[in-house]
Short mmCIF file of all heavy atoms in Angstrom, two decimals:
data_model
loop_
_atom_site.label_atom_id
_atom_site.label_comp_id
_atom_site.label_asym_id
_atom_site.label_seq_id
_atom_site.Cartn_x
_atom_site.Cartn_y
_atom_site.Cartn_z
N MET A 278 0.43 -23.83 -11.61
CA MET A 278 0.58 -24.94 -10.79
C MET A 278 -0.50 -24.94 -9.75
O MET A 278 -1.04 -23.90 -9.46
CB MET A 278 1.95 -24.88 -10.07
CG MET A 278 2.20 -23.76 -9.09
SD MET A 278 3.86 -23.75 -8.46
CE MET A 278 4.57 -22.73 -9.98
N ARG A 279 -0.83 -25.98 -9.01
CA ARG A 279 -1.81 -26.09 -8.10
C ARG A 279 -1.12 -26.36 -6.61
O ARG A 279 -0.51 -27.36 -6.62
CB ARG A 279 -2.78 -27.13 -8.38
CG ARG A 279 -3.93 -27.27 -7.55
CD ARG A 279 -4.98 -26.26 -7.61
NE ARG A 279 -5.92 -26.43 -6.57
CZ ARG A 279 -7.01 -25.49 -6.34
NH1 ARG A 279 -7.01 -24.48 -7.01
NH2 ARG A 279 -7.83 -25.70 -5.40
N LEU A 280 -1.35 -25.65 -5.65
CA LEU A 280 -0.85 -25.80 -4.38
C LEU A 280 -1.88 -26.13 -3.29
O LEU A 280 -3.05 -25.69 -3.39
CB LEU A 280 -0.23 -24.45 -3.95
CG LEU A 280 0.21 -24.24 -2.59
CD1 LEU A 280 1.46 -25.06 -2.35
CD2 LEU A 280 0.61 -22.76 -2.31
N PHE A 281 -1.55 -27.16 -2.53
CA PHE A 281 -2.49 -27.67 -1.53
C PHE A 281 -1.63 -27.64 -0.22
O PHE A 281 -0.66 -28.32 -0.05
CB PHE A 281 -3.01 -28.97 -1.84
CG PHE A 281 -4.01 -29.48 -0.92
CD1 PHE A 281 -5.32 -28.85 -0.69
CD2 PHE A 281 -3.70 -30.60 -0.11
CE1 PHE A 281 -6.12 -29.38 0.12
CE2 PHE A 281 -4.53 -31.03 0.83
CZ PHE A 281 -5.84 -30.43 0.89
N ALA A 282 -2.33 -27.11 0.87
CA ALA A 282 -1.80 -27.17 2.25
C ALA A 282 -2.78 -27.90 3.07
O ALA A 282 -3.92 -27.35 3.24
CB ALA A 282 -1.35 -25.73 2.77
N ASP A 283 -2.48 -29.08 3.62
CA ASP A 283 -3.38 -29.77 4.39
C ASP A 283 -3.34 -29.49 5.92
O ASP A 283 -2.27 -29.75 6.59
CB ASP A 283 -3.20 -31.32 4.31
CG ASP A 283 -4.21 -32.16 4.85
OD1 ASP A 283 -4.72 -31.75 5.84
OD2 ASP A 283 -4.18 -33.32 4.57
N ARG A 284 -4.31 -28.71 6.42
CA ARG A 284 -4.29 -28.24 7.77
C ARG A 284 -4.44 -29.40 8.77
O ARG A 284 -4.07 -29.17 9.88
CB ARG A 284 -5.27 -27.12 8.03
CG ARG A 284 -4.90 -25.70 7.42
CD ARG A 284 -6.10 -24.93 7.36
NE ARG A 284 -6.57 -24.57 8.78
CZ ARG A 284 -6.04 -23.54 9.61
NH1 ARG A 284 -5.00 -22.84 9.14
NH2 ARG A 284 -6.62 -23.40 10.66
N GLY A 285 -4.96 -30.55 8.22
CA GLY A 285 -5.09 -31.63 9.14
C GLY A 285 -3.80 -32.19 9.47
O GLY A 285 -3.55 -33.00 10.43
N LEU A 286 -2.86 -31.99 8.57
CA LEU A 286 -1.33 -32.68 8.72
C LEU A 286 -0.47 -31.60 9.40
O LEU A 286 0.38 -32.03 10.12
CB LEU A 286 -0.86 -33.10 7.47
CG LEU A 286 -1.50 -34.31 6.75
CD1 LEU A 286 -0.94 -34.68 5.37
CD2 LEU A 286 -1.45 -35.57 7.68
N CYS A 287 -0.75 -30.31 9.12
CA CYS A 287 0.24 -29.32 9.57
C CYS A 287 0.43 -29.23 11.10
O CYS A 287 -0.58 -29.54 11.93
CB CYS A 287 -0.46 -27.97 9.26
SG CYS A 287 0.55 -26.42 9.82
N VAL A 288 1.75 -29.13 11.56
CA VAL A 288 2.02 -29.10 12.85
C VAL A 288 2.50 -27.83 13.34
O VAL A 288 2.95 -27.51 14.57
CB VAL A 288 3.09 -30.26 13.33
CG1 VAL A 288 2.43 -31.57 13.02
CG2 VAL A 288 4.26 -30.05 12.59
N GLY A 289 2.35 -26.71 12.49
CA GLY A 289 2.72 -25.46 12.92
C GLY A 289 4.14 -25.03 13.08
O GLY A 289 4.39 -24.08 13.87
N SER A 290 4.88 -25.71 12.48
CA SER A 290 6.54 -25.48 12.58
C SER A 290 6.89 -24.15 11.94
O SER A 290 7.82 -23.61 12.42
CB SER A 290 7.21 -26.58 11.94
OG SER A 290 7.14 -26.53 10.59
N GLY A 291 6.23 -23.69 10.86
CA GLY A 291 6.42 -22.36 10.27
C GLY A 291 7.45 -22.38 9.27
O GLY A 291 7.90 -21.37 8.80
N MET A 292 7.91 -23.65 8.87
CA MET A 292 9.01 -23.71 7.85
C MET A 292 8.57 -23.21 6.53
O MET A 292 9.30 -22.59 5.78
CB MET A 292 9.64 -25.22 7.62
CG MET A 292 10.23 -25.68 8.91
SD MET A 292 11.66 -24.59 9.46
CE MET A 292 12.71 -24.87 8.07
N CYS A 293 7.25 -23.46 6.23
CA CYS A 293 6.82 -22.87 4.89
C CYS A 293 6.73 -21.36 4.88
O CYS A 293 7.07 -20.73 3.81
CB CYS A 293 5.42 -23.30 4.75
SG CYS A 293 4.27 -23.07 6.06
N VAL A 294 6.45 -20.79 6.08
CA VAL A 294 6.46 -19.30 6.15
C VAL A 294 7.90 -18.65 6.06
O VAL A 294 7.95 -17.71 5.26
CB VAL A 294 5.82 -18.77 7.45
CG1 VAL A 294 5.73 -17.28 7.53
CG2 VAL A 294 4.43 -19.49 7.63
N LEU A 295 8.87 -19.34 6.71
CA LEU A 295 10.17 -18.84 6.55
C LEU A 295 10.76 -19.11 5.01
O LEU A 295 11.51 -18.28 4.60
CB LEU A 295 11.00 -19.69 7.55
CG LEU A 295 10.87 -19.45 8.98
CD1 LEU A 295 11.63 -20.43 9.81
CD2 LEU A 295 11.23 -18.00 9.29
N THR A 296 10.23 -20.16 4.40
CA THR A 296 10.87 -20.39 3.05
C THR A 296 10.10 -19.57 1.97
O THR A 296 10.78 -19.11 0.99
CB THR A 296 10.74 -21.87 2.69
OG1 THR A 296 11.29 -22.70 3.83
CG2 THR A 296 11.38 -22.32 1.46
N ALA A 297 8.82 -19.35 2.02
CA ALA A 297 8.01 -18.60 1.01
C ALA A 297 7.00 -17.71 1.68
O ALA A 297 5.90 -18.00 1.68
CB ALA A 297 7.39 -19.60 0.05
N PRO A 298 7.63 -16.62 2.44
CA PRO A 298 6.62 -15.92 3.04
C PRO A 298 5.48 -15.22 2.34
O PRO A 298 4.44 -14.73 2.91
CB PRO A 298 7.51 -14.85 3.84
CG PRO A 298 8.75 -14.76 2.89
CD PRO A 298 8.85 -16.24 2.44
N GLY A 299 5.77 -15.01 0.98
CA GLY A 299 4.72 -14.36 0.24
C GLY A 299 3.55 -15.33 -0.18
O GLY A 299 2.59 -14.77 -0.61
N VAL A 300 3.67 -16.58 0.06
CA VAL A 300 2.74 -17.56 -0.17
C VAL A 300 2.04 -18.08 1.03
O VAL A 300 0.92 -18.28 1.06
CB VAL A 300 3.35 -18.74 -1.01
CG1 VAL A 300 2.27 -19.74 -1.36
CG2 VAL A 300 3.96 -18.21 -2.34
N PHE A 301 2.76 -18.34 2.04
CA PHE A 301 2.30 -19.06 3.20
C PHE A 301 2.23 -18.04 4.51
O PHE A 301 3.08 -17.12 4.59
CB PHE A 301 3.08 -20.23 3.74
CG PHE A 301 3.09 -21.31 2.62
CD1 PHE A 301 4.16 -21.29 1.74
CD2 PHE A 301 2.12 -22.20 2.40
CE1 PHE A 301 4.19 -22.24 0.65
CE2 PHE A 301 2.18 -23.21 1.57
CZ PHE A 301 3.17 -23.21 0.66
N ASP A 302 1.35 -18.31 5.43
CA ASP A 302 1.38 -17.67 6.62
C ASP A 302 0.78 -18.66 7.69
O ASP A 302 0.45 -19.72 7.28
CB ASP A 302 0.34 -16.41 6.58
CG ASP A 302 0.67 -15.33 7.71
OD1 ASP A 302 1.38 -15.65 8.61
OD2 ASP A 302 0.04 -14.22 7.54
N GLN A 303 0.79 -18.21 8.94
CA GLN A 303 0.23 -19.11 9.97
C GLN A 303 -0.94 -18.43 10.69
O GLN A 303 -0.90 -17.20 10.86
CB GLN A 303 1.37 -19.45 11.01
CG GLN A 303 2.32 -20.49 10.46
CD GLN A 303 3.46 -20.58 11.50
OE1 GLN A 303 4.51 -20.01 11.49
NE2 GLN A 303 3.25 -21.57 12.43
N ASP A 304 -1.99 -19.16 10.94
CA ASP A 304 -3.18 -18.68 11.50
C ASP A 304 -2.83 -18.12 12.93
O ASP A 304 -2.10 -18.70 13.76
CB ASP A 304 -4.21 -19.81 11.74
CG ASP A 304 -5.54 -19.27 12.09
OD1 ASP A 304 -5.61 -18.86 13.22
OD2 ASP A 304 -6.39 -19.29 11.31
N ASP A 305 -3.37 -16.89 13.27
CA ASP A 305 -3.09 -16.27 14.50
C ASP A 305 -3.69 -17.09 15.62
O ASP A 305 -3.10 -17.07 16.78
CB ASP A 305 -3.67 -14.82 14.55
CG ASP A 305 -2.90 -13.83 13.74
OD1 ASP A 305 -1.69 -14.04 13.43
OD2 ASP A 305 -3.47 -12.84 13.25
N GLU A 306 -4.78 -17.77 15.42
CA GLU A 306 -5.39 -18.56 16.58
C GLU A 306 -4.70 -19.91 16.83
O GLU A 306 -4.47 -20.22 18.08
CB GLU A 306 -6.85 -18.74 16.17
CG GLU A 306 -7.60 -17.49 15.98
CD GLU A 306 -7.79 -16.70 17.27
OE1 GLU A 306 -7.90 -17.44 18.33
OE2 GLU A 306 -7.66 -15.46 17.23
N ASP A 307 -4.53 -20.64 15.68
CA ASP A 307 -4.07 -21.98 15.98
C ASP A 307 -2.58 -22.32 15.46
O ASP A 307 -2.08 -23.35 15.65
CB ASP A 307 -5.00 -23.13 15.39
CG ASP A 307 -5.25 -23.01 13.95
OD1 ASP A 307 -4.47 -22.33 13.26
OD2 ASP A 307 -6.31 -23.40 13.50
N GLY A 308 -2.09 -21.33 14.74
CA GLY A 308 -0.68 -21.59 14.29
C GLY A 308 -0.48 -22.44 13.01
O GLY A 308 0.57 -22.71 12.54
N LEU A 309 -1.67 -22.87 12.50
CA LEU A 309 -1.63 -23.67 11.40
C LEU A 309 -1.47 -22.96 10.11
O LEU A 309 -1.81 -21.79 9.94
CB LEU A 309 -2.87 -24.69 11.42
CG LEU A 309 -2.98 -25.51 12.51
CD1 LEU A 309 -4.33 -26.41 12.40
CD2 LEU A 309 -1.81 -26.44 12.79
N VAL A 310 -1.05 -23.68 9.05
CA VAL A 310 -0.81 -22.96 7.80
C VAL A 310 -2.01 -22.28 7.08
O VAL A 310 -3.04 -22.91 7.19
CB VAL A 310 -0.11 -24.03 6.75
CG1 VAL A 310 -1.14 -25.24 6.48
CG2 VAL A 310 0.35 -23.41 5.54
N VAL A 311 -1.68 -21.15 6.47
CA VAL A 311 -2.72 -20.43 5.75
C VAL A 311 -1.93 -20.16 4.38
O VAL A 311 -0.92 -19.79 4.36
CB VAL A 311 -3.12 -19.21 6.35
CG1 VAL A 311 -4.01 -18.31 5.53
CG2 VAL A 311 -3.87 -19.43 7.72
N VAL A 312 -2.76 -20.33 3.27
CA VAL A 312 -2.18 -20.01 1.90
C VAL A 312 -2.84 -18.71 1.53
O VAL A 312 -4.03 -18.60 1.64
CB VAL A 312 -2.48 -21.24 0.89
CG1 VAL A 312 -1.94 -20.72 -0.39
CG2 VAL A 312 -1.94 -22.48 1.34
N HIS A 313 -1.96 -17.68 1.11
CA HIS A 313 -2.56 -16.47 0.67
C HIS A 313 -3.04 -16.60 -0.72
O HIS A 313 -2.55 -17.22 -1.74
CB HIS A 313 -1.35 -15.50 0.53
CG HIS A 313 -0.72 -15.01 1.90
ND1 HIS A 313 -1.50 -14.55 2.83
CD2 HIS A 313 0.54 -15.19 2.39
CE1 HIS A 313 -0.79 -14.12 3.89
NE2 HIS A 313 0.51 -14.56 3.63
N GLY A 314 -4.30 -16.12 -0.93
CA GLY A 314 -4.95 -15.88 -2.16
C GLY A 314 -5.17 -17.17 -2.97
O GLY A 314 -5.36 -18.19 -2.31
N ASP A 315 -5.35 -17.08 -4.09
CA ASP A 315 -5.71 -18.15 -5.11
C ASP A 315 -4.59 -19.17 -5.17
O ASP A 315 -3.42 -18.76 -5.52
CB ASP A 315 -6.05 -17.41 -6.47
CG ASP A 315 -6.65 -18.58 -7.42
OD1 ASP A 315 -6.39 -19.77 -7.11
OD2 ASP A 315 -7.28 -18.24 -8.41
N PRO A 316 -4.77 -20.42 -4.83
CA PRO A 316 -3.55 -21.34 -4.99
C PRO A 316 -3.23 -21.75 -6.35
O PRO A 316 -2.18 -22.48 -6.49
CB PRO A 316 -4.22 -22.72 -4.26
CG PRO A 316 -5.70 -22.46 -4.44
CD PRO A 316 -5.98 -21.07 -4.35
N ASP A 317 -3.89 -21.29 -7.35
CA ASP A 317 -3.60 -21.53 -8.86
C ASP A 317 -2.52 -20.34 -9.33
O ASP A 317 -2.53 -19.37 -8.89
CB ASP A 317 -4.66 -21.56 -9.75
CG ASP A 317 -5.55 -22.70 -9.36
OD1 ASP A 317 -5.05 -23.83 -9.26
OD2 ASP A 317 -6.83 -22.46 -9.56
N GLY A 318 -1.57 -20.83 -10.02
CA GLY A 318 -0.81 -19.93 -10.90
C GLY A 318 0.28 -19.31 -10.07
O GLY A 318 0.85 -18.17 -10.55
N ARG A 319 0.92 -19.88 -9.02
CA ARG A 319 2.00 -19.33 -8.41
C ARG A 319 3.38 -19.57 -9.24
O ARG A 319 3.55 -20.67 -9.74
CB ARG A 319 2.11 -19.83 -6.99
CG ARG A 319 0.86 -19.53 -6.11
CD ARG A 319 1.06 -20.08 -4.74
NE ARG A 319 -0.27 -20.03 -4.10
CZ ARG A 319 -0.94 -18.94 -3.67
NH1 ARG A 319 -0.38 -17.79 -3.92
NH2 ARG A 319 -2.05 -19.00 -3.06
N GLY A 320 4.17 -18.51 -9.16
CA GLY A 320 5.26 -18.62 -10.21
C GLY A 320 6.49 -19.30 -9.70
O GLY A 320 7.17 -19.88 -10.68
N ASP A 321 6.89 -19.36 -8.56
CA ASP A 321 8.10 -19.87 -8.18
C ASP A 321 8.22 -21.37 -7.78
O ASP A 321 8.07 -21.63 -6.64
CB ASP A 321 8.69 -18.95 -6.96
CG ASP A 321 10.16 -19.22 -6.74
OD1 ASP A 321 10.73 -20.33 -7.23
OD2 ASP A 321 10.76 -18.44 -6.11
N ALA A 322 8.34 -22.20 -8.82
CA ALA A 322 8.18 -23.64 -8.56
C ALA A 322 9.31 -24.11 -7.72
O ALA A 322 9.22 -25.09 -6.93
CB ALA A 322 8.22 -24.39 -9.84
N ALA A 323 10.45 -23.49 -7.81
CA ALA A 323 11.73 -23.86 -7.11
C ALA A 323 11.40 -23.64 -5.53
O ALA A 323 11.83 -24.47 -4.78
CB ALA A 323 12.83 -23.15 -7.61
N ALA A 324 10.88 -22.47 -5.24
CA ALA A 324 10.64 -22.07 -3.85
C ALA A 324 9.67 -23.17 -3.26
O ALA A 324 9.81 -23.50 -2.07
CB ALA A 324 10.26 -20.74 -3.73
N LEU A 325 8.68 -23.43 -4.02
CA LEU A 325 7.55 -24.33 -3.54
C LEU A 325 8.20 -25.82 -3.38
O LEU A 325 7.77 -26.34 -2.35
CB LEU A 325 6.39 -24.29 -4.47
CG LEU A 325 5.70 -23.00 -4.45
CD1 LEU A 325 4.45 -22.99 -5.36
CD2 LEU A 325 5.12 -22.46 -3.01
N GLY A 326 9.08 -26.07 -4.28
CA GLY A 326 9.72 -27.30 -4.03
C GLY A 326 10.56 -27.53 -2.76
O GLY A 326 10.59 -28.41 -2.08
N ARG A 327 11.17 -26.26 -2.40
CA ARG A 327 11.90 -26.35 -1.08
C ARG A 327 10.96 -26.31 0.07
O ARG A 327 11.17 -26.93 1.18
CB ARG A 327 12.68 -25.03 -1.01
CG ARG A 327 13.96 -24.93 -1.99
CD ARG A 327 14.91 -23.94 -1.67
NE ARG A 327 14.38 -22.59 -1.85
CZ ARG A 327 14.33 -21.90 -3.04
NH1 ARG A 327 14.75 -22.44 -4.09
NH2 ARG A 327 13.86 -20.64 -3.06
N VAL A 328 9.82 -25.84 -0.10
CA VAL A 328 8.80 -25.80 1.04
C VAL A 328 8.42 -27.20 1.21
O VAL A 328 8.22 -27.70 2.40
CB VAL A 328 7.43 -24.86 0.65
CG1 VAL A 328 6.47 -25.15 1.66
CG2 VAL A 328 8.03 -23.54 0.71
N VAL A 329 8.04 -27.92 0.13
CA VAL A 329 7.50 -29.29 0.22
C VAL A 329 8.73 -30.09 1.05
O VAL A 329 8.42 -30.93 1.86
CB VAL A 329 7.43 -29.91 -1.14
CG1 VAL A 329 7.15 -31.47 -1.15
CG2 VAL A 329 6.17 -29.32 -1.84
N ASP A 330 10.06 -29.93 0.58
CA ASP A 330 11.04 -30.57 1.35
C ASP A 330 11.19 -30.21 2.77
O ASP A 330 11.65 -31.03 3.68
CB ASP A 330 12.33 -30.36 0.55
CG ASP A 330 12.32 -31.02 -0.78
OD1 ASP A 330 11.60 -31.94 -0.93
OD2 ASP A 330 13.28 -30.56 -1.64
N ALA A 331 11.00 -28.89 3.04
CA ALA A 331 11.19 -28.49 4.41
C ALA A 331 10.04 -28.67 5.41
O ALA A 331 10.26 -28.84 6.64
CB ALA A 331 11.29 -26.93 4.34
N CYS A 332 8.90 -28.94 4.93
CA CYS A 332 7.68 -29.19 5.74
C CYS A 332 7.88 -30.52 6.47
O CYS A 332 8.01 -31.53 5.82
CB CYS A 332 6.32 -29.13 5.05
SG CYS A 332 4.98 -29.58 5.98
N PRO A 333 7.88 -30.56 7.89
CA PRO A 333 8.10 -31.73 8.57
C PRO A 333 7.03 -32.78 8.61
O PRO A 333 7.25 -33.92 8.88
CB PRO A 333 8.55 -31.23 9.94
CG PRO A 333 7.74 -30.02 10.09
CD PRO A 333 7.80 -29.36 8.71
N SER A 334 5.85 -32.24 8.24
CA SER A 334 4.62 -33.19 8.44
C SER A 334 4.11 -33.55 6.91
O SER A 334 3.14 -34.32 6.98
CB SER A 334 3.61 -32.46 9.02
OG SER A 334 3.07 -31.25 8.38
N GLY A 335 4.70 -33.16 5.96
CA GLY A 335 4.25 -33.59 4.57
C GLY A 335 2.90 -32.94 4.19
O GLY A 335 2.07 -33.29 3.42
N ALA A 336 2.68 -31.69 4.85
CA ALA A 336 1.31 -30.98 4.66
C ALA A 336 1.25 -30.27 3.41
O ALA A 336 0.14 -30.00 2.89
CB ALA A 336 1.02 -30.02 5.69
N ILE A 337 2.39 -30.00 2.69
CA ILE A 337 2.35 -29.20 1.42
C ILE A 337 2.62 -30.07 0.24
O ILE A 337 3.47 -30.85 0.06
CB ILE A 337 3.46 -28.17 1.42
CG1 ILE A 337 3.32 -27.32 2.79
CG2 ILE A 337 3.41 -27.30 0.17
CD1 ILE A 337 2.12 -26.39 2.92
N THR A 338 1.64 -29.96 -0.69
CA THR A 338 1.89 -30.67 -1.97
C THR A 338 1.48 -29.51 -3.13
O THR A 338 0.82 -28.63 -2.97
CB THR A 338 0.92 -31.77 -2.15
OG1 THR A 338 -0.43 -31.41 -1.93
CG2 THR A 338 1.30 -32.89 -1.22
N PHE A 339 2.21 -29.66 -4.31
CA PHE A 339 1.84 -28.91 -5.39
C PHE A 339 2.14 -29.62 -6.75
O PHE A 339 3.06 -30.52 -6.68
CB PHE A 339 2.52 -27.61 -5.34
CG PHE A 339 4.00 -27.57 -5.84
CD1 PHE A 339 4.36 -27.06 -7.04
CD2 PHE A 339 5.09 -28.03 -5.06
CE1 PHE A 339 5.63 -27.13 -7.59
CE2 PHE A 339 6.27 -27.99 -5.42
CZ PHE A 339 6.57 -27.46 -6.68
N MET A 340 1.66 -29.32 -7.64
CA MET A 340 1.70 -29.81 -9.11
C MET A 340 2.30 -28.75 -10.00
O MET A 340 1.52 -27.78 -10.23
CB MET A 340 0.50 -30.51 -9.64
CG MET A 340 0.07 -31.75 -8.81
SD MET A 340 -1.56 -32.49 -9.47
CE MET A 340 -2.55 -31.31 -8.90
N PRO A 341 3.43 -28.82 -10.46
CA PRO A 341 3.95 -27.78 -11.33
C PRO A 341 3.08 -27.57 -12.59
O PRO A 341 2.51 -28.50 -12.98
CB PRO A 341 5.43 -28.16 -11.65
CG PRO A 341 5.66 -29.21 -10.62
CD PRO A 341 4.49 -29.82 -10.20
S1 LIG B 617 5.99 -26.17 7.17
FE1 LIG B 617 4.36 -27.71 7.24
S2 LIG B 617 3.90 -28.17 9.31
FE2 LIG B 617 5.08 -26.20 9.30
S3 LIG B 617 3.52 -24.56 9.34
FE3 LIG B 617 3.99 -25.08 7.20
S4 LIG B 617 2.57 -26.60 6.55
FE4 LIG B 617 2.57 -26.50 8.79
#
């Protein structure tokens, strides 16, 4: 799957980090989303689907 986090839309709520902490983090400087590692090939589509639903700004998209 291909994961995309749009830092231009992110408002730093941290819901992605709470839902999938192994995939997402927040920048120490601005609090905006950071994706760990290569965005291709992440295994847990269900967790990423919950992140898409939980993000208040629509910043997270992925294609299974
Ligand atoms: S849940 Fe959305 S708005 Fe909140 S930190 Fe993650 S990407 Fe940004």
Side-chain angles (χ1 to χ4, degrees):
M278 74 188 78
R279 179 75 185 174
L280 174 65
F281 181 68
D283 188 337
R284 289 172 56 87
L286 293 177
C287 177
V288 295
S290 71
M292 295 304 295
C293 55
V294 182
L295 291 173
T296 306
V300 178
F301 298 96
D302 202 349
Q303 286 175 271
D304 190 291
D305 289 339
E306 298 292 322
D307 58 18
L309 299 180
V310 63
V311 175
V312 178
H313 291 299
D315 186 340
D317 290 322
R319 300 185 192 289
D321 191 345
L325 293 180
R327 290 194 297 275
V328 170
V329 171
D330 291 339
C332 176
S334 65
I337 305 295
T338 55
F339 82 101
M340 292 180 288

